[in-house]
Amino acid sequence: NGDVPKLGSNETSYIVAVPGGKGNWSPGQNTLFQGYVPEGSVYFLYDDGGKLPADILIMLFSPPSPPGPQPGFAPDENTLLQSVDFVASCDPPFPFLLKNVFGASQLVQFQNPSQGNVSCFSTTELGYSIRVPNDLPSGEDTIHIEFGQMISNYTNPQNNILPISDTLLCSAEAAADPFNACNTTEISINFEIYLNLAIPQGYSTTMYVVGRTVNSGQMCSGTNEDEFFAPLNEEFPVR
C-alpha cells in the first residue's frame, strides 16, 4: 500500500520490518530491522541468525524527529508512507530473485544454506601506475611528487588525497646510479571498489598528480581519466 517514493530525491526514510504480515505487530515486539535508511543504501533483515519468517511486513515512514527511537519504538501512523508484504520464500510462486522490487525496496542480497551468499554487489580493485614522463627537460631524470588526488563518483569519500607527497620518482637510468638519491621508478596506487550491479550505471575516475623536477624546479603534472559502465547491457554499451 502507498506510493513508491520518488527516486533521486536523496531522502532518508525510517524503516521497520516485522514478522507476521499486516496488523500483527505492536510497539515493543521484536523487529527484523528498524532504523534510518538513506535512499540507495542497503539494510538487512535479520532474525538472530535464524531462518526468516515466511511473511514479513516492511513499513516505510517519514524520519521521526530526534531523539532517535529505541528498539520497539513505533513511529506515528500518520507518517507511514508505504507498507509492503514481503514473502521470504524460495518456492513458487514467490521465488527469491535478485533485483526483484518490493515497493520502495529491491532485493540485492540474500543468504541460505544451499546457495550461500547471493549478491548483486561486486568488490574489485582499481589500479594505477605512476612513472616519470618521457618528455622531461634535458638534464632532468627525477621528479619530486608534490600532490596526488583521485576523484570518483563511486568511492567514499569521492575526493581521495593520495599518500604520495614528498616522494622522489626517477627514470630507470637514474635509479641504477648508486649516487642518485632516488631508486623508485614506479608508484602503484590500488583502490578496492564496491560496485552495485543491481543498478546499471556509469563509473568515472580522474587521477591527478603534480610534481616538480629536482634540478630546475619545473612544474609538471599528469592526468588520467577512466570511465566504465556496469553491469554491461544493451542500454549501457561499451564506449
Side-chain angles (χ1 to χ4, degrees):
N1 296 326
D3 297 328
V4 177
K6 183 179 179 182
L7 293 176
S9 62
N10 295 320
E11 293 183 355
T12 294
S13 298
Y14 190 77
I15 294 179
V16 178
V18 298
K22 292 183 178 179
N24 296 327
W25 178 72
S26 60
Q29 293 181 336
N30 290 337
T31 60
L32 304 173
F33 175 84
Q34 184 169 2
Y36 297 93
V37 181
E39 180 187 321
S41 298
V42 177
Y43 66 96
F44 294 90
L45 304 183
Y46 183 76
D47 193 14
D48 292 330
K51 183 179 179 180
L52 289 175
D55 296 316
I56 298 173
L57 173 64
I58 301 176
M59 297 172 287
L60 186 147
F61 298 86
S62 297
S65 301
Q70 301 299 313
F73 170 85
D76 189 329
E77 291 184 358
N78 293 327
T79 64
L80 179 66
L81 301 175
Q82 182 185 87
S83 62
V84 176
D85 279 323
F86 175 71
V87 180
S89 171
C90 295
D91 300 322
F94 304 107
F96 248 29
L97 296 177
L98 290 180
K99 302 175 69 172
N100 276 357
V101 175
F102 303 88
S105 298
Q106 182 178 42
L107 181 62
V108 294
Q109 184 175 355
F110 65 87
Q111 185 174 14
N112 62 38
S114 60
Q115 295 173 280
N117 186 38
V118 183
S119 176
C120 285
F121 300 111
S122 173
T123 301
T124 187
E125 190 172 83
L126 186 68
Y128 292 91
S129 295
I130 303 172
R131 303 184 185 92
V132 170
N134 297 323
D135 56 351
L136 282 178
S138 177
E140 296 286 1
D141 54 25
T142 304
I143 292 177
H144 180 269
I145 303 296
E146 304 280 339
F147 178 76
Q149 182 180 30
M150 188 190 82
I151 302 173
S152 75
N153 69 340
Y154 57 91
T155 58
N156 185 16
Q158 293 187 339
N159 189 341
N160 295 273
I161 305 301
L162 305 179
I164 59 175
S165 300
D166 293 328
T167 302
L168 291 178
L169 189 64
C170 57
S171 64
E173 293 78 9
D177 184 352
F179 298 102
N180 194 321
C182 174
N183 58 10
T184 301
T185 60
E186 181 179 308
I187 299 174
S188 296
I189 303 294
N190 297 292
F191 289 93
E192 188 175 78
I193 57 177
Y194 191 58
L195 307 181
N196 180 359
L197 302 181
I199 306 173
Q201 57 187 312
Y203 298 85
S204 63
T205 301
T206 300
M207 179 77 72
Y208 182 63
V209 178
V210 177
R212 189 184 298 273
T213 58
V214 170
N215 293 332
S216 64
Q218 180 175 332
M219 293 293 295
C220 53
S221 63
T223 302
N224 186 86
E225 296 181 349
D226 288 315
E227 183 180 45
F228 63 94
F229 296 92
L232 297 178
N233 59 27
E234 57 189 22
E235 292 183 351
F236 288 81
V238 178
R239 294 180 181 177

